[in-house]
Amino acid sequence: MGCVEALNYEILLRNCSFKEYREFIKKNYREYHEVMPGYRIFDLALIGVPPIPIGVDGDYVIFPYTKPCHGTFVLRVEGKEEIQKLRAKK
């Protein structure tokens, strides 16, 4: 199981609702992929109301991460392999 603290991430949005992160990603990223809760990215299981959007910006993935007791954040992390995995899903 992965740990978000092991990633070199940038927080784009903090303490947001599922609706807020969904709108943020869809509005700001032309390429995004929708996944179901439980989808693993960087070995982290995503939590949320389906479908969960994951944005792509160059070599970076933008995804929501819910940390129990701390809320939901939108993170930006470099991840070429994760982008390839998302694109291969279609």
Side-chain angles (χ1 to χ4, degrees), residues 7 9-12 18 24 26-27 30-31 37 40-42 44 49-51 56 58 60 77 79 81 84 88-89:
L7 300 174
Y9 62 83
E10 175 185 358
I11 297 174
L12 301 179
F18 295 150
F24 176 81
K26 287 183 173 182
K27 179 181 173 189
R30 190 170 28 178
E31 180 181 353
R40 297 188 82 79
I41 186 164
F42 299 109
L44 303 168
V49 175
V56 175
Y60 290 85
V77 179
E81 288 182 25
Q84 289 175 349
K89 276 184 53 160

Side-chain angles (χ1 to χ4, degrees), residues 24-73:
F24 176 81
I25 291 173
K26 287 183 173 182
K27 179 181 173 189
N28 291 294
Y29 300 96
R30 190 170 28 178
E31 180 181 353
Y32 66 88
H33 304 267
E34 294 181 323
V35 299
M36 299 303 287
Y39 180 83
R40 297 188 82 79
I41 186 164
F42 299 109
D43 206 25
L44 303 168
L46 297 183
I47 299 170
V49 175
I52 298 172
I54 299 176
V56 175
D57 183 23
D59 292 338
Y60 290 85
V61 290
I62 293 80
F63 62 98
Y65 183 71
T66 300
K67 203 169 187 179
C69 301
H70 294 281
T72 300
F73 302 82

